[in-house]
Amino acid sequence: MNQVLDLVGIFVFALSGALVGVRKRLDVVGMAVLAEMTALGGGILRDLILNVRPAAFSSTGYVLVPIAATVIVFFWHPHVQRVMPAVDVLDAAGLGLFCAVGTEKAMNFGLSPLHGALLGVTTAVGGGILRDILAGQIPNLLYDRQLYAVPAMLGSAVMAVLYTVDLHGWPATLAAAVLAFGLRIAAMRLRLRAPLARGVTPE
């Protein structure tokens, strides 16, 4: 079940990466690279920090799913753009799942709650950072005006606290993931924004 949820999250993240490739007028190879990096980059960074073989290299599905997402976007990107509200909801679900799972895995390796939460955030947003760098744009994380990283931070923090008080496994993971998901959805629906420095006006 966990792998199925992983693959769903990977697919949605890969769609967003491939769509960036379309907007940047990249060819199919560039689209595939952005899809793979967006979907797998965060988990790979986490596992490299933990000094374990990245989960992305334990199953061919982890690599093939982003390729499938790339093919879909390559041929039907106008249709994918039209259903982006639904994709955004799934993306929020992937964000919640990845931050919770990443935090739990880090703490299973003996990291402190703080470091575990940091790796949870890395799992959730690391792929997006790599995507933006490769696409030649400022990573969204550096101007989190749509509250993307903040829900991941809070979800990871809650997962770390639950793990610390010996509440882990799928109920704790689900609770942390739902919290991050709910915050992300609220941010999209209510147009919540992270504050700018005092005296700075938005563009």
Side-chain angles (χ1 to χ4, degrees):
M1 184 62 178
N2 283 343
Q3 188 177 29
V4 172
L5 292 175
D6 269 353
L7 293 176
V8 171
I10 285 169
F11 178 75
V12 176
F13 281 1
L15 286 178
S16 70
L19 284 170
V20 170
V22 172
R23 289 195 290 270
K24 292 290 184 177
R25 304 182 66 84
L26 302 182
D27 61 22
V28 66
V29 175
M31 290 171 58
V33 169
L34 290 187
E36 294 281 356
M37 286 297 99
T38 308
L40 305 177
I44 290 174
L45 288 173
R46 176 203 62 214
D47 291 343
L48 290 176
I49 292 171
L50 294 175
N51 198 30
V52 297
R53 184 175 68 177
F57 294 97
S58 65
S59 170
T60 55
Y62 285 90
V63 178
L64 294 180
V65 166
I67 295 297
T70 302
V71 171
I72 291 172
V73 173
F74 181 81
F75 286 105
W76 298 289
H77 60 87
H79 305 287
V80 176
Q81 289 282 14
R82 280 199 290 272
V83 299
M84 273 309 292
V87 174
D88 285 341
V89 172
L90 292 175
D91 182 84
L95 178 80
L97 174 68
F98 281 13
C99 75
V101 170
T103 302
E104 183 175 29
K105 182 171 183 177
M107 296 191 70
N108 281 338
F109 278 80
L111 271 67
S112 70
L114 174 60
H115 293 109
L118 287 174
L119 272 192
V121 174
T122 299
T123 306
V125 306
I129 293 173
L130 294 175
R131 174 202 64 211
D132 292 341
I133 291 173
L134 289 173
Q137 58 192 31
I138 300 174
N140 286 335
L141 183 68
L142 299 182
Y143 55 102
D144 194 21
R145 299 292 291 144
Q146 296 182 339
L147 289 192
Y148 196 82
V150 171
M153 292 174 186
L154 294 176
S156 296
V158 167
M159 184 70 237
V161 170
L162 292 175
Y163 192 100
T164 301
V165 298
D166 205 29
L167 292 173
H168 42 88
W170 72 264
T173 302
L174 180 62
V178 167
L179 172 64
F181 170 76
L183 290 173
R184 174 60 182 150
I185 293 297
M188 290 191 297
R189 297 290 167 82
L190 302 176
R191 299 184 181 276
L192 302 177
R193 297 291 184 264
L196 296 174
R198 183 179 179 183
V200 175
T201 57
E203 294 180 359

